[in-house]
PDB file of all heavy atoms in Angstrom:
ATOM      1  N   SER Z   1     -93.928 -28.806-113.774  1.00  0.00           N
ATOM      2  CA  SER Z   1     -94.361 -28.090-114.974  1.00  0.00           C
ATOM      3  C   SER Z   1     -93.362 -28.353-116.085  1.00  0.00           C
ATOM      4  O   SER Z   1     -92.232 -28.778-115.840  1.00  0.00           O
ATOM      5  CB  SER Z   1     -94.458 -26.584-114.707  1.00  0.00           C
ATOM      6  OG  SER Z   1     -93.169 -26.014-114.683  1.00  0.00           O
ATOM      7  N   GLY Z   2     -93.760 -28.074-117.332  1.00  0.00           N
ATOM      8  CA  GLY Z   2     -92.876 -28.248-118.468  1.00  0.00           C
ATOM      9  C   GLY Z   2     -91.684 -27.316-118.432  1.00  0.00           C
ATOM     10  O   GLY Z   2     -90.639 -27.601-119.012  1.00  0.00           O
ATOM     11  N   ASN Z   3     -91.822 -26.192-117.746  1.00  0.00           N
ATOM     12  CA  ASN Z   3     -90.726 -25.223-117.662  1.00  0.00           C
ATOM     13  C   ASN Z   3     -89.700 -25.580-116.595  1.00  0.00           C
ATOM     14  O   ASN Z   3     -88.630 -24.987-116.554  1.00  0.00           O
ATOM     15  CB  ASN Z   3     -91.272 -23.828-117.375  1.00  0.00           C
ATOM     16  CG  ASN Z   3     -92.066 -23.290-118.538  1.00  0.00           C
ATOM     17  OD1 ASN Z   3     -91.744 -23.569-119.686  1.00  0.00           O
ATOM     18  ND2 ASN Z   3     -93.100 -22.535-118.246  1.00  0.00           N
ATOM     19  N   ARG Z   4     -90.013 -26.525-115.737  1.00  0.00           N
ATOM     20  CA  ARG Z   4     -89.111 -26.866-114.639  1.00  0.00           C
ATOM     21  C   ARG Z   4     -87.746 -27.301-115.163  1.00  0.00           C
ATOM     22  O   ARG Z   4     -86.727 -27.026-114.557  1.00  0.00           O
ATOM     23  CB  ARG Z   4     -89.725 -27.960-113.774  1.00  0.00           C
ATOM     24  CG  ARG Z   4     -88.883 -28.395-112.595  1.00  0.00           C
ATOM     25  CD  ARG Z   4     -88.690 -27.360-111.534  1.00  0.00           C
ATOM     26  NE  ARG Z   4     -89.913 -27.172-110.809  1.00  0.00           N
ATOM     27  CZ  ARG Z   4     -90.152 -26.155-110.018  1.00  0.00           C
ATOM     28  NH1 ARG Z   4     -89.235 -25.229-109.848  1.00  0.00           N
ATOM     29  NH2 ARG Z   4     -91.290 -26.028-109.407  1.00  0.00           N
ATOM     30  N   ARG Z   5     -87.714 -27.961-116.314  1.00  0.00           N
ATOM     31  CA  ARG Z   5     -86.433 -28.412-116.865  1.00  0.00           C
ATOM     32  C   ARG Z   5     -85.524 -27.242-117.225  1.00  0.00           C
ATOM     33  O   ARG Z   5     -84.317 -27.370-117.265  1.00  0.00           O
ATOM     34  CB  ARG Z   5     -86.649 -29.300-118.080  1.00  0.00           C
ATOM     35  CG  ARG Z   5     -87.186 -30.658-117.720  1.00  0.00           C
ATOM     36  CD  ARG Z   5     -87.119 -31.599-118.917  1.00  0.00           C
ATOM     37  NE  ARG Z   5     -87.752 -32.853-118.632  1.00  0.00           N
ATOM     38  CZ  ARG Z   5     -87.163 -33.864-118.014  1.00  0.00           C
ATOM     39  NH1 ARG Z   5     -85.920 -33.741-117.613  1.00  0.00           N
ATOM     40  NH2 ARG Z   5     -87.798 -34.986-117.801  1.00  0.00           N
ATOM     41  N   LEU Z   6     -86.116 -26.073-117.499  1.00  0.00           N
ATOM     42  CA  LEU Z   6     -85.333 -24.907-117.881  1.00  0.00           C
ATOM     43  C   LEU Z   6     -84.710 -24.203-116.679  1.00  0.00           C
ATOM     44  O   LEU Z   6     -83.670 -23.570-116.808  1.00  0.00           O
ATOM     45  CB  LEU Z   6     -86.211 -23.908-118.644  1.00  0.00           C
ATOM     46  CG  LEU Z   6     -86.843 -24.433-119.938  1.00  0.00           C
ATOM     47  CD1 LEU Z   6     -87.794 -23.392-120.514  1.00  0.00           C
ATOM     48  CD2 LEU Z   6     -85.765 -24.806-120.945  1.00  0.00           C
ATOM     49  N   ASP Z   7     -85.339 -24.300-115.517  1.00  0.00           N
ATOM     50  CA  ASP Z   7     -84.858 -23.527-114.372  1.00  0.00           C
ATOM     51  C   ASP Z   7     -84.363 -24.379-113.208  1.00  0.00           C
ATOM     52  O   ASP Z   7     -84.169 -23.888-112.112  1.00  0.00           O
ATOM     53  CB  ASP Z   7     -85.932 -22.559-113.883  1.00  0.00           C
ATOM     54  CG  ASP Z   7     -87.206 -23.245-113.415  1.00  0.00           C
ATOM     55  OD1 ASP Z   7     -87.247 -24.482-113.411  1.00  0.00           O
ATOM     56  OD2 ASP Z   7     -88.153 -22.535-113.044  1.00  0.00           O
ATOM     57  N   THR Z   8     -84.122 -25.671-113.453  1.00  0.00           N
ATOM     58  CA  THR Z   8     -83.664 -26.569-112.401  1.00  0.00           C
ATOM     59  C   THR Z   8     -82.463 -27.358-112.893  1.00  0.00           C
ATOM     60  O   THR Z   8     -82.427 -27.779-114.046  1.00  0.00           O
ATOM     61  CB  THR Z   8     -84.790 -27.547-111.995  1.00  0.00           C
ATOM     62  OG1 THR Z   8     -85.924 -26.804-111.608  1.00  0.00           O
ATOM     63  CG2 THR Z   8     -84.372 -28.439-110.856  1.00  0.00           C
ATOM     64  N   GLY Z   9     -81.499 -27.572-112.023  1.00  0.00           N
ATOM     65  CA  GLY Z   9     -80.329 -28.364-112.381  1.00  0.00           C
ATOM     66  C   GLY Z   9     -80.672 -29.830-112.558  1.00  0.00           C
ATOM     67  O   GLY Z   9     -81.776 -30.288-112.263  1.00  0.00           O
ATOM     68  N   ASN Z  10     -79.726 -30.588-113.065  1.00  0.00           N
ATOM     69  CA  ASN Z  10     -79.848 -32.038-113.235  1.00  0.00           C
ATOM     70  C   ASN Z  10     -80.993 -32.433-114.161  1.00  0.00           C
ATOM     71  O   ASN Z  10     -81.581 -33.495-113.998  1.00  0.00           O
ATOM     72  CB  ASN Z  10     -80.006 -32.751-111.890  1.00  0.00           C
ATOM     73  CG  ASN Z  10     -78.833 -32.532-110.974  1.00  0.00           C
ATOM     74  OD1 ASN Z  10     -77.703 -32.506-111.433  1.00  0.00           O
ATOM     75  ND2 ASN Z  10     -79.095 -32.348-109.700  1.00  0.00           N
ATOM     76  N   GLY Z  11     -81.348 -31.573-115.131  1.00  0.00           N
ATOM     77  CA  GLY Z  11     -82.403 -31.911-116.074  1.00  0.00           C
ATOM     78  C   GLY Z  11     -83.760 -32.070-115.425  1.00  0.00           C
ATOM     79  O   GLY Z  11     -84.633 -32.716-115.966  1.00  0.00           O
ATOM     80  N   ALA Z  12     -83.926 -31.489-114.265  1.00  0.00           N
ATOM     81  CA  ALA Z  12     -85.189 -31.537-113.518  1.00  0.00           C
ATOM     82  C   ALA Z  12     -85.632 -32.961-113.220  1.00  0.00           C
ATOM     83  O   ALA Z  12     -86.802 -33.286-113.238  1.00  0.00           O
ATOM     84  CB  ALA Z  12     -86.290 -30.771-114.241  1.00  0.00           C
ATOM     85  N   ILE Z  13     -84.665 -33.806-112.910  1.00  0.00           N
ATOM     86  CA  ILE Z  13     -85.003 -35.166-112.503  1.00  0.00           C
ATOM     87  C   ILE Z  13     -85.749 -35.087-111.181  1.00  0.00           C
ATOM     88  O   ILE Z  13     -85.341 -34.373-110.271  1.00  0.00           O
ATOM     89  CB  ILE Z  13     -83.721 -36.002-112.322  1.00  0.00           C
ATOM     90  CG1 ILE Z  13     -82.990 -36.136-113.646  1.00  0.00           C
ATOM     91  CG2 ILE Z  13     -84.018 -37.356-111.717  1.00  0.00           C
ATOM     92  CD1 ILE Z  13     -81.592 -36.701-113.512  1.00  0.00           C
ATOM     93  N   ASN Z  14     -86.867 -35.786-111.083  1.00  0.00           N
ATOM     94  CA  ASN Z  14     -87.542 -35.873-109.800  1.00  0.00           C
ATOM     95  C   ASN Z  14     -86.667 -36.723-108.890  1.00  0.00           C
ATOM     96  O   ASN Z  14     -86.372 -37.877-109.194  1.00  0.00           O
ATOM     97  CB  ASN Z  14     -88.927 -36.508-109.928  1.00  0.00           C
ATOM     98  CG  ASN Z  14     -89.986 -35.494-110.260  1.00  0.00           C
ATOM     99  OD1 ASN Z  14     -89.842 -34.314-109.966  1.00  0.00           O
ATOM    100  ND2 ASN Z  14     -91.051 -35.940-110.876  1.00  0.00           N
ATOM    101  N   THR Z  15     -86.221 -36.137-107.810  1.00  0.00           N
ATOM    102  CA  THR Z  15     -85.348 -36.870-106.908  1.00  0.00           C
ATOM    103  C   THR Z  15     -86.099 -38.040-106.283  1.00  0.00           C
ATOM    104  O   THR Z  15     -87.308 -37.954-106.042  1.00  0.00           O
ATOM    105  CB  THR Z  15     -84.802 -35.956-105.798  1.00  0.00           C
ATOM    106  OG1 THR Z  15     -85.894 -35.341-105.132  1.00  0.00           O
ATOM    107  CG2 THR Z  15     -83.900 -34.901-106.368  1.00  0.00           C
ATOM    108  N   PRO Z  16     -85.408 -39.133-106.032  1.00  0.00           N
ATOM    109  CA  PRO Z  16     -86.051 -40.277-105.392  1.00  0.00           C
ATOM    110  C   PRO Z  16     -86.617 -39.888-104.027  1.00  0.00           C
ATOM    111  O   PRO Z  16     -86.068 -39.015-103.349  1.00  0.00           O
ATOM    112  CB  PRO Z  16     -84.923 -41.296-105.236  1.00  0.00           C
ATOM    113  CG  PRO Z  16     -83.894 -40.872-106.217  1.00  0.00           C
ATOM    114  CD  PRO Z  16     -84.007 -39.399-106.330  1.00  0.00           C
ATOM    115  N   ALA Z  17     -87.695 -40.529-103.646  1.00  0.00           N
ATOM    116  CA  ALA Z  17     -88.321 -40.284-102.345  1.00  0.00           C
ATOM    117  C   ALA Z  17     -88.546 -41.625-101.659  1.00  0.00           C
ATOM    118  O   ALA Z  17     -89.098 -42.555-102.259  1.00  0.00           O
ATOM    119  CB  ALA Z  17     -89.641 -39.549-102.520  1.00  0.00           C
ATOM    120  N   PHE Z  18     -88.100 -41.727-100.424  1.00  0.00           N
ATOM    121  CA  PHE Z  18     -88.364 -42.941 -99.650  1.00  0.00           C
ATOM    122  C   PHE Z  18     -89.833 -42.963 -99.234  1.00  0.00           C
ATOM    123  O   PHE Z  18     -90.434 -41.922 -99.009  1.00  0.00           O
ATOM    124  CB  PHE Z  18     -87.478 -42.994 -98.405  1.00  0.00           C
ATOM    125  CG  PHE Z  18     -86.008 -43.067 -98.710  1.00  0.00           C
ATOM    126  CD1 PHE Z  18     -85.138 -42.169 -98.142  1.00  0.00           C
ATOM    127  CD2 PHE Z  18     -85.497 -44.036 -99.556  1.00  0.00           C
ATOM    128  CE1 PHE Z  18     -83.776 -42.222 -98.408  1.00  0.00           C
ATOM    129  CE2 PHE Z  18     -84.146 -44.103 -99.836  1.00  0.00           C
ATOM    130  CZ  PHE Z  18     -83.285 -43.191 -99.257  1.00  0.00           C
ATOM    131  N   LEU Z  19     -90.403 -44.149 -99.109  1.00  0.00           N
ATOM    132  CA  LEU Z  19     -91.795 -44.269 -98.687  1.00  0.00           C
ATOM    133  C   LEU Z  19     -91.962 -43.993 -97.200  1.00  0.00           C
ATOM    134  O   LEU Z  19     -93.055 -43.694 -96.748  1.00  0.00           O
ATOM    135  CB  LEU Z  19     -92.352 -45.652 -99.039  1.00  0.00           C
ATOM    136  CG  LEU Z  19     -92.444 -45.964-100.538  1.00  0.00           C
ATOM    137  CD1 LEU Z  19     -93.092 -47.330-100.750  1.00  0.00           C
ATOM    138  CD2 LEU Z  19     -93.219 -44.886-101.281  1.00  0.00           C
ATOM    139  N   SER Z  20     -90.871 -44.085 -96.444  1.00  0.00           N
ATOM    140  CA  SER Z  20     -90.915 -43.804 -95.013  1.00  0.00           C
ATOM    141  C   SER Z  20     -89.754 -42.892 -94.648  1.00  0.00           C
ATOM    142  O   SER Z  20     -88.685 -42.973 -95.256  1.00  0.00           O
ATOM    143  CB  SER Z  20     -90.817 -45.107 -94.214  1.00  0.00           C
ATOM    144  OG  SER Z  20     -90.718 -44.839 -92.830  1.00  0.00           O
ATOM    145  N   ASP Z  21     -89.961 -42.034 -93.675  1.00  0.00           N
ATOM    146  CA  ASP Z  21     -88.864 -41.174 -93.231  1.00  0.00           C
ATOM    147  C   ASP Z  21     -88.027 -41.835 -92.139  1.00  0.00           C
ATOM    148  O   ASP Z  21     -87.092 -41.241 -91.615  1.00  0.00           O
ATOM    149  CB  ASP Z  21     -89.381 -39.817 -92.763  1.00  0.00           C
ATOM    150  CG  ASP Z  21     -90.312 -39.905 -91.572  1.00  0.00           C
ATOM    151  OD1 ASP Z  21     -90.729 -41.022 -91.209  1.00  0.00           O
ATOM    152  OD2 ASP Z  21     -90.633 -38.860 -90.997  1.00  0.00           O
ATOM    153  N   LYS Z  22     -88.347 -43.088 -91.808  1.00  0.00           N
ATOM    154  CA  LYS Z  22     -87.588 -43.835 -90.802  1.00  0.00           C
ATOM    155  C   LYS Z  22     -87.210 -45.189 -91.379  1.00  0.00           C
ATOM    156  O   LYS Z  22     -87.961 -45.796 -92.128  1.00  0.00           O
ATOM    157  CB  LYS Z  22     -88.429 -44.038 -89.547  1.00  0.00           C
ATOM    158  CG  LYS Z  22     -88.721 -42.754 -88.810  1.00  0.00           C
ATOM    159  CD  LYS Z  22     -89.515 -43.036 -87.550  1.00  0.00           C
ATOM    160  CE  LYS Z  22     -89.732 -41.791 -86.739  1.00  0.00           C
ATOM    161  NZ  LYS Z  22     -90.636 -40.841 -87.337  1.00  0.00           N
ATOM    162  N   LEU Z  23     -86.017 -45.648 -91.033  1.00  0.00           N
ATOM    163  CA  LEU Z  23     -85.557 -46.970 -91.432  1.00  0.00           C
ATOM    164  C   LEU Z  23     -85.370 -47.801 -90.175  1.00  0.00           C
ATOM    165  O   LEU Z  23     -84.832 -47.323 -89.179  1.00  0.00           O
ATOM    166  CB  LEU Z  23     -84.230 -46.868 -92.191  1.00  0.00           C
ATOM    167  CG  LEU Z  23     -84.249 -46.007 -93.444  1.00  0.00           C
ATOM    168  CD1 LEU Z  23     -82.859 -45.914 -94.042  1.00  0.00           C
ATOM    169  CD2 LEU Z  23     -85.228 -46.549 -94.455  1.00  0.00           C
ATOM    170  N   PHE Z  24     -85.813 -49.043 -90.222  1.00  0.00           N
ATOM    171  CA  PHE Z  24     -85.765 -49.907 -89.048  1.00  0.00           C
ATOM    172  C   PHE Z  24     -84.866 -51.104 -89.307  1.00  0.00           C
ATOM    173  O   PHE Z  24     -84.988 -51.778 -90.325  1.00  0.00           O
ATOM    174  CB  PHE Z  24     -87.164 -50.385 -88.666  1.00  0.00           C
ATOM    175  CG  PHE Z  24     -88.081 -49.260 -88.278  1.00  0.00           C
ATOM    176  CD1 PHE Z  24     -88.987 -48.746 -89.189  1.00  0.00           C
ATOM    177  CD2 PHE Z  24     -88.013 -48.699 -87.013  1.00  0.00           C
ATOM    178  CE1 PHE Z  24     -89.826 -47.703 -88.840  1.00  0.00           C
ATOM    179  CE2 PHE Z  24     -88.846 -47.660 -86.659  1.00  0.00           C
ATOM    180  CZ  PHE Z  24     -89.751 -47.162 -87.575  1.00  0.00           C
ATOM    181  N   LEU Z  25     -83.954 -51.358 -88.392  1.00  0.00           N
ATOM    182  CA  LEU Z  25     -83.075 -52.503 -88.450  1.00  0.00           C
ATOM    183  C   LEU Z  25     -83.800 -53.692 -87.832  1.00  0.00           C
ATOM    184  O   LEU Z  25     -84.159 -53.666 -86.655  1.00  0.00           O
ATOM    185  CB  LEU Z  25     -81.778 -52.197 -87.686  1.00  0.00           C
ATOM    186  CG  LEU Z  25     -80.696 -53.251 -87.722  1.00  0.00           C
ATOM    187  CD1 LEU Z  25     -80.173 -53.433 -89.138  1.00  0.00           C
ATOM    188  CD2 LEU Z  25     -79.558 -52.853 -86.784  1.00  0.00           C
ATOM    189  N   MET Z  26     -84.043 -54.725 -88.650  1.00  0.00           N
ATOM    190  CA  MET Z  26     -84.740 -55.920 -88.162  1.00  0.00           C
ATOM    191  C   MET Z  26     -83.938 -57.141 -88.593  1.00  0.00           C
ATOM    192  O   MET Z  26     -83.707 -57.343 -89.791  1.00  0.00           O
ATOM    193  CB  MET Z  26     -86.161 -55.981 -88.725  1.00  0.00           C
ATOM    194  CG  MET Z  26     -87.031 -54.813 -88.260  1.00  0.00           C
ATOM    195  SD  MET Z  26     -88.681 -54.812 -88.979  1.00  0.00           S
ATOM    196  CE  MET Z  26     -89.341 -56.263 -88.214  1.00  0.00           C
ATOM    197  N   ASN Z  27     -83.515 -57.929 -87.621  1.00  0.00           N
ATOM    198  CA  ASN Z  27     -82.715 -59.125 -87.881  1.00  0.00           C
ATOM    199  C   ASN Z  27     -81.476 -58.793 -88.715  1.00  0.00           C
ATOM    200  O   ASN Z  27     -81.101 -59.538 -89.609  1.00  0.00           O
ATOM    201  CB  ASN Z  27     -83.556 -60.199 -88.582  1.00  0.00           C
ATOM    202  CG  ASN Z  27     -84.708 -60.668 -87.729  1.00  0.00           C
ATOM    203  OD1 ASN Z  27     -84.590 -60.792 -86.516  1.00  0.00           O
ATOM    204  ND2 ASN Z  27     -85.838 -60.921 -88.353  1.00  0.00           N
ATOM    205  N   GLY Z  28     -80.864 -57.656 -88.438  1.00  0.00           N
ATOM    206  CA  GLY Z  28     -79.649 -57.256 -89.124  1.00  0.00           C
ATOM    207  C   GLY Z  28     -79.853 -56.706 -90.530  1.00  0.00           C
ATOM    208  O   GLY Z  28     -78.894 -56.509 -91.259  1.00  0.00           O
ATOM    209  N   LYS Z  29     -81.112 -56.471 -90.918  1.00  0.00           N
ATOM    210  CA  LYS Z  29     -81.406 -55.997 -92.270  1.00  0.00           C
ATOM    211  C   LYS Z  29     -82.291 -54.753 -92.238  1.00  0.00           C
ATOM    212  O   LYS Z  29     -83.084 -54.571 -91.320  1.00  0.00           O
ATOM    213  CB  LYS Z  29     -82.102 -57.088 -93.079  1.00  0.00           C
ATOM    214  CG  LYS Z  29     -81.247 -58.315 -93.284  1.00  0.00           C
ATOM    215  CD  LYS Z  29     -81.978 -59.355 -94.080  1.00  0.00           C
ATOM    216  CE  LYS Z  29     -81.088 -60.596 -94.224  1.00  0.00           C
ATOM    217  NZ  LYS Z  29     -81.746 -61.641 -94.967  1.00  0.00           N
ATOM    218  N   VAL Z  30     -82.130 -53.914 -93.276  1.00  0.00           N
ATOM    219  CA  VAL Z  30     -82.952 -52.720 -93.438  1.00  0.00           C
ATOM    220  C   VAL Z  30     -83.581 -52.777 -94.825  1.00  0.00           C
ATOM    221  O   VAL Z  30     -82.873 -52.905 -95.831  1.00  0.00           O
ATOM    222  CB  VAL Z  30     -82.108 -51.431 -93.312  1.00  0.00           C
ATOM    223  CG1 VAL Z  30     -82.941 -50.199 -93.632  1.00  0.00           C
ATOM    224  CG2 VAL Z  30     -81.503 -51.319 -91.927  1.00  0.00           C
ATOM    225  N   ALA Z  31     -84.916 -52.714 -94.899  1.00  0.00           N
ATOM    226  CA  ALA Z  31     -85.620 -52.677 -96.176  1.00  0.00           C
ATOM    227  C   ALA Z  31     -85.860 -51.225 -96.566  1.00  0.00           C
ATOM    228  O   ALA Z  31     -86.306 -50.424 -95.746  1.00  0.00           O
ATOM    229  CB  ALA Z  31     -86.951 -53.419 -96.074  1.00  0.00           C
ATOM    230  N   ILE Z  32     -85.519 -50.887 -97.803  1.00  0.00           N
ATOM    231  CA  ILE Z  32     -85.700 -49.527 -98.304  1.00  0.00           C
ATOM    232  C   ILE Z  32     -86.599 -49.581 -99.527  1.00  0.00           C
ATOM    233  O   ILE Z  32     -86.328 -50.321-100.478  1.00  0.00           O
ATOM    234  CB  ILE Z  32     -84.343 -48.888 -98.664  1.00  0.00           C
ATOM    235  CG1 ILE Z  32     -83.482 -48.790 -97.409  1.00  0.00           C
ATOM    236  CG2 ILE Z  32     -84.547 -47.520 -99.305  1.00  0.00           C
ATOM    237  CD1 ILE Z  32     -82.101 -48.249 -97.646  1.00  0.00           C
ATOM    238  N   ASP Z  33     -87.682 -48.825 -99.483  1.00  0.00           N
ATOM    239  CA  ASP Z  33     -88.632 -48.733-100.583  1.00  0.00           C
ATOM    240  C   ASP Z  33     -88.831 -47.271-100.937  1.00  0.00           C
ATOM    241  O   ASP Z  33     -88.817 -46.412-100.052  1.00  0.00           O
ATOM    242  CB  ASP Z  33     -89.989 -49.333-100.173  1.00  0.00           C
ATOM    243  CG  ASP Z  33     -89.878 -50.803 -99.850  1.00  0.00           C
ATOM    244  OD1 ASP Z  33     -89.727 -51.592-100.788  1.00  0.00           O
ATOM    245  OD2 ASP Z  33     -89.945 -51.158 -98.658  1.00  0.00           O
ATOM    246  N   GLY Z  34     -89.040 -46.991-102.228  1.00  0.00           N
ATOM    247  CA  GLY Z  34     -89.242 -45.605-102.603  1.00  0.00           C
ATOM    248  C   GLY Z  34     -89.795 -45.448-104.004  1.00  0.00           C
ATOM    249  O   GLY Z  34     -90.110 -46.425-104.688  1.00  0.00           O
ATOM    250  N   LEU Z  35     -89.904 -44.189-104.416  1.00  0.00           N
ATOM    251  CA  LEU Z  35     -90.409 -43.823-105.736  1.00  0.00           C
ATOM    252  C   LEU Z  35     -89.409 -42.903-106.419  1.00  0.00           C
ATOM    253  O   LEU Z  35     -88.781 -42.061-105.777  1.00  0.00           O
ATOM    254  CB  LEU Z  35     -91.752 -43.097-105.616  1.00  0.00           C
ATOM    255  CG  LEU Z  35     -92.897 -43.900-105.024  1.00  0.00           C
ATOM    256  CD1 LEU Z  35     -94.106 -42.998-104.793  1.00  0.00           C
ATOM    257  CD2 LEU Z  35     -93.274 -45.043-105.944  1.00  0.00           C
ATOM    258  N   ALA Z  36     -89.265 -43.077-107.740  1.00  0.00           N
ATOM    259  CA  ALA Z  36     -88.371 -42.248-108.549  1.00  0.00           C
ATOM    260  C   ALA Z  36     -88.939 -42.214-109.966  1.00  0.00           C
ATOM    261  O   ALA Z  36     -89.946 -42.881-110.258  1.00  0.00           O
ATOM    262  CB  ALA Z  36     -86.966 -42.837-108.552  1.00  0.00           C
ATOM    263  N   ASP Z  37     -88.314 -41.456-110.859  1.00  0.00           N
ATOM    264  CA  ASP Z  37     -88.722 -41.492-112.256  1.00  0.00           C
ATOM    265  C   ASP Z  37     -88.567 -42.912-112.771  1.00  0.00           C
ATOM    266  O   ASP Z  37     -87.588 -43.601-112.450  1.00  0.00           O
ATOM    267  CB  ASP Z  37     -87.871 -40.544-113.097  1.00  0.00           C
ATOM    268  CG  ASP Z  37     -88.271 -39.084-112.936  1.00  0.00           C
ATOM    269  OD1 ASP Z  37     -89.366 -38.816-112.400  1.00  0.00           O
ATOM    270  OD2 ASP Z  37     -87.493 -38.219-113.362  1.00  0.00           O
ATOM    271  N   GLU Z  38     -89.522 -43.375-113.567  1.00  0.00           N
ATOM    272  CA  GLU Z  38     -89.483 -44.755-114.054  1.00  0.00           C
ATOM    273  C   GLU Z  38     -88.198 -45.036-114.821  1.00  0.00           C
ATOM    274  O   GLU Z  38     -87.695 -44.194-115.563  1.00  0.00           O
ATOM    275  CB  GLU Z  38     -90.688 -45.062-114.932  1.00  0.00           C
ATOM    276  CG  GLU Z  38     -90.740 -44.280-116.223  1.00  0.00           C
ATOM    277  CD  GLU Z  38     -91.943 -44.638-117.071  1.00  0.00           C
ATOM    278  OE1 GLU Z  38     -93.068 -44.402-116.605  1.00  0.00           O
ATOM    279  OE2 GLU Z  38     -91.727 -45.121-118.198  1.00  0.00           O
ATOM    280  N   GLY Z  39     -87.627 -46.201-114.571  1.00  0.00           N
ATOM    281  CA  GLY Z  39     -86.415 -46.622-115.245  1.00  0.00           C
ATOM    282  C   GLY Z  39     -85.135 -45.957-114.773  1.00  0.00           C
ATOM    283  O   GLY Z  39     -84.059 -46.285-115.263  1.00  0.00           O
ATOM    284  N   SER Z  40     -85.248 -45.042-113.822  1.00  0.00           N
ATOM    285  CA  SER Z  40     -84.037 -44.355-113.362  1.00  0.00           C
ATOM    286  C   SER Z  40     -83.245 -45.239-112.404  1.00  0.00           C
ATOM    287  O   SER Z  40     -83.771 -46.140-111.764  1.00  0.00           O
ATOM    288  CB  SER Z  40     -84.384 -43.023-112.699  1.00  0.00           C
ATOM    289  OG  SER Z  40     -85.182 -43.219-111.561  1.00  0.00           O
TER     290      SER Z  40
END
């Protein structure tokens, strides 16, 4: 909501969210994908 910026710390930035709640190690590498505010 528009009021969220008034009652939430950090300027009400939507915290980043991973697309998966599990990370898998494959060939020594971990791919991480997610969503956050654009340009953040």
Side-chain angles (χ1 to χ4, degrees):
S1 76
N3 292 326
R4 180 66 72 195
R5 288 191 186 276
L6 300 174
D7 61 3
T8 304
N10 299 322
I13 296 169
N14 273 335
T15 55
F18 297 127
L19 295 183
S20 174
D21 62 350
K22 293 182 176 70
L23 302 176
F24 297 99
L25 184 65
M26 297 177 67
N27 297 323
K29 297 180 182 179
V30 174
I32 298 177
D33 297 287
L35 297 172
D37 283 345
E38 65 179 63
S40 62

